[in-house]
Amino acid sequence: METQEDCTIRRGQPIRRYQNDYKPDGHTSTSMIVNQSQYLNVGRSTVRIAVYLMTGIFLSMDVEHSSTAHQILAMIQSEGELGLTRTPLFTSQTVFALWLCSSRLEVQLHPNHKPLELAAKWNRLVKKYSSQREETDEEPLLCLRRNVFLSRSDEEQIKEAKVLELLYAEARNNVLQGRYPCEGQARYASLGALQARIELGPYNPQSHTLAFFRRHRGRFLPHHYTSPSLLLGLGVGLGLVGGKGAPEARLLEQYKRIPNHTGTNTNSRKLVRKYLEFCWSLPCYGAAFFQGQIERPVRGLASWITNRDMHVLIAINSSGVYIVDDIQCSLLLGLRYSELSWEMAKPSDESNLDCLPCLFLQFPVRENGTRVYKILQVFSRQAIMMDTLISGFAEEHRRHGTNGDIGNTDRLTDHAVGSNIGSFTNKLSKFTLATFDDEGRCIGQMGSWSFQ
């Protein structure tokens, strides 16, 4: 067994900074392997790798080819400049984990996983678990991210400033990428104002003008606020583009109201925690994200021909399962485990590459005063990964007696439901659904369900 000393940071240049336009979703030319020639030379005992942090730096370190995720995490913790040497990274609820991430696939590594071995076969994994069927030379990044199994209650107990800074940086990134959707502009303005205060310092009327925030809209507001189509849709005539009703104008007004207390470092720590406290209340906080697609509702004869599936993100955390439109930064459906039954199905024709595995999600609603069950079909090559993660969280809820109504049933209609029917956020008109009654009879079909 290798020891922590087998993974050593290169002390010459232990920390390097990457460009501000780095995107941890894989849309970047950087790599996990810093020196490709070393990686290809199998005769060498070590290889230099980069571990990317959400705070805008990466760690460059030499590790053994067979180093485990646990050993690399221990190496990161020992890096003095990060200030994590006294951080309880290896408690029963580990705060951070190593992830391998690219534009089509994100995987949290188990402590005994060997990142270099997984990276070497990454293209095969992408082909197996993504919609990308042709060969690709996509390279993953090795990232330090929040552990998806860290409970929110445990996270709320964290006091270490450096840990909170890393969690803040990740939460900020997910907000800006549309992965943590909020309801309403006011909430985005509040988060943007807190971010501005943390990163820019106190409001300065000479430099922090409306023009400044208009130029830097993408730095403080989610990407859908910078979309030309959205801005044109809002219309200049409504006074929303660059006017008083514009998102950046609301952000500026809230930024002005944040008081400036003495003790800059103390104030900054409080603001970081305030930002996190806001994010803790968001449904998708701390989730693992998977790529999938759902069938759009058919509206009119023409849509039978032109209708295409809608690509979505499926967010899974310890609280529930969520369907996210990350392009519009919108939460389409949220299901707590007490309201959810699910089942994974393999393709009916596994020889057909266009036939995808799917995840059936069943949940109760009330229609005309009667309880019925809706079933949503989510198509994804990552369905087996989602099924595994949901099963783990559901079992955790059972073990702690959170609720007794979670079911991964053999037949989706054979289960009891919790008392909190209708407590989820939903926009059911966006979905193609089947409807069943209490007896398991299908009483409503839409789209391709009508042919089954």
Side-chain angles (χ1 to χ4, degrees):
M1 176 65 68
E2 296 166 350
T3 64
Q4 179 175 327
E5 285 71 26
D6 292 319
C7 303
T8 57
I9 285 184
R10 292 180 66 89
R11 293 299 171 183
Q13 292 180 314
I15 297 181
R16 297 169 181 262
R17 297 193 173 273
Y18 53 77
Q19 299 298 316
N20 290 333
D21 61 355
Y22 161 76
K23 294 181 175 60
D25 59 1
H27 298 293
T28 173
S29 60
T30 52
S31 172
M32 169 187 170
I33 310 299
V34 177
N35 189 324
Q36 293 288 345
S37 62
Q38 284 187 352
Y39 179 57
L40 296 174
N41 185 355
V42 294
R44 295 183 63 93
S45 61
T46 62
V47 59
R48 192 192 306 181
I49 65 170
V51 180
Y52 292 84
L53 279 61
M54 297 295 187
T55 49
I57 63 173
F58 68 77
L59 302 179
S60 175
M61 62 186 76
D62 282 346
V63 300
E64 300 287 334
H65 282 82
S66 59
S67 296
T68 64
H70 178 87
Q71 291 170 328
I72 296 174
L73 274 174
M75 185 63 251
I76 294 170
Q77 187 180 22
S78 70
E79 172 51 48
E81 291 189 48
L82 290 180
L84 300 176
T85 52
R86 297 183 179 180
T87 300
L89 284 178
F90 300 111
T91 61
S92 59
Q93 282 281 17
T94 304
V95 179
F96 299 108
L98 288 179
W99 292 67
L100 278 177
C101 304
S102 68
S103 63
R104 297 181 179 91
L105 184 64
E106 302 175 12
V107 178
Q108 177 174 314
L109 305 185
H110 294 162
N112 61 339
H113 276 156
K114 298 178 180 180
L116 284 165
E117 292 183 3
L118 288 175
K121 57 183 179 182
W122 188 252
N123 289 327
R124 278 180 285 164
L125 295 174
V126 168
K127 186 174 181 180
K128 181 177 180 180
Y129 292 113
S130 81
S131 57
Q132 180 78 19
R133 303 314 298 156
E134 63 271 12
E135 292 296 330
T136 176
D137 58 355
E138 186 172 78
E139 295 180 3
L141 299 182
L142 186 61
C143 303
L144 183 71
R145 290 188 177 183
R146 184 188 186 278
N147 184 349
V148 70
F149 298 108
L150 174 67
S151 69
R152 294 190 204 181
S153 58
D154 283 346
E155 182 172 342
E156 289 169 5
Q157 305 306 312
I158 296 174
K159 306 297 182 184
E160 291 84 2
K162 294 295 184 180
V163 178
L164 293 175
E165 287 176 12
L166 288 171
L167 292 169
Y168 156 76
E170 183 169 349
R172 174 197 62 198
N173 183 76
N174 283 327
V175 168
L176 296 178
Q177 285 194 4
R179 292 185 162 199
Y180 287 174
C182 301
E183 294 295 331
Q185 286 190 21
R187 294 192 173 190
Y188 286 121
S190 297
L191 286 170
L194 280 171
Q195 180 190 340
R197 179 61 180 80
I198 293 167
E199 299 175 9
L200 302 177
Y203 168 68
N204 182 333
Q206 279 70 46
S207 56
H208 302 143
T209 63
L210 182 58
F212 170 84
F213 284 106
R214 190 179 302 127
R215 287 195 305 273
H216 299 281
R217 184 191 289 117
R219 177 179 172 184
F220 300 103
L221 292 168
H223 64 77
H224 72 303
Y225 281 121
T226 65
S227 167
S229 60
L230 174 72
L231 297 177
L232 289 174
L234 292 173
V236 178
L238 296 177
L240 295 180
V241 182
K244 291 184 177 181
E248 62 269 22
R250 295 188 180 194
L251 185 158
L252 176 57
E253 288 304 312
Q254 296 206 34
Y255 177 39
K256 291 178 181 178
R257 298 192 190 115
I258 299 177
N260 181 28
H261 300 292
T262 56
T264 304
N265 291 335
T266 301
N267 193 38
S268 178
R269 286 196 295 269
K270 289 181 178 179
L271 292 169
V272 164
R273 188 168 186 87
K274 185 76 172 178
Y275 190 101
L276 284 170
E277 288 172 352
F278 193 110
C279 290
W280 289 337
S281 68
L282 299 177
C284 297
Y285 183 78
F289 293 89
F290 302 88
Q291 297 181 2
Q293 55 198 69
I294 58 175
E295 185 180 353
R296 295 179 189 268
V298 175
R299 308 194 188 283
L301 183 61
S303 62
W304 280 104
I305 303 173
T306 61
N307 198 51
R308 293 185 177 180
D309 284 354
M310 176 182 181
H311 291 274
V312 295
L313 288 179
I314 302 92
I316 301 173
N317 60 21
S318 59
S319 299
V321 179
Y322 306 90
I323 307 297
V324 177
D325 178 356
D326 62 322
I327 301 300
Q328 297 299 324
C329 299
S330 174
L331 178 62
L332 302 178
L333 178 69
L335 300 170
R336 298 184 184 277
Y337 291 114
S338 58
E339 302 159 330
L340 169 68
S341 290
W342 78 98
E343 186 173 359
M344 195 206 80
K346 294 182 178 179
S348 56
D349 181 5
E350 296 196 43
S351 63
N352 183 355
L353 296 180
D354 294 324
C355 193
L356 300 177
C358 67
L359 197 68
F360 291 98
L361 302 177
Q362 177 182 281
F363 52 95
V365 299
R366 289 198 179 276
E367 288 185 346
N368 301 319
T370 302
R371 182 177 64 179
V372 297
Y373 299 92
K374 300 288 185 179
I375 296 182
L376 172 67
Q377 193 172 11
V378 180
F379 300 93
S380 174
R381 297 194 191 280
Q382 298 172 14
I384 188 171
M385 301 167 70
M386 292 187 275
D387 177 54
T388 300
L389 189 56
I390 293 172
S391 297
F393 282 132
E395 180 59 32
E396 190 72 15
H397 276 254
R398 282 198 193 95
R399 192 159 46 241
H400 289 85
T402 306
N403 59 71
D405 304 312
I406 304 170
N408 185 344
T409 58
D410 293 331
R411 290 178 56 236
L412 286 173
T413 51
D414 292 343
H415 80 295
V417 298
S419 59
N420 47 352
I421 293 176
S423 66
F424 48 80
T425 299
N426 67 81
K427 299 175 183 177
L428 297 186
S429 63
K430 301 276 189 181
F431 301 107
T432 296
L433 303 166
T435 307
F436 293 80
D437 64 15
D438 266 331
E439 302 299 321
R441 294 185 294 264
C442 182
I443 57 176
Q445 298 168 307
M446 301 171 62
S448 59
W449 284 101
S450 302
F451 299 97
Q452 297 181 10

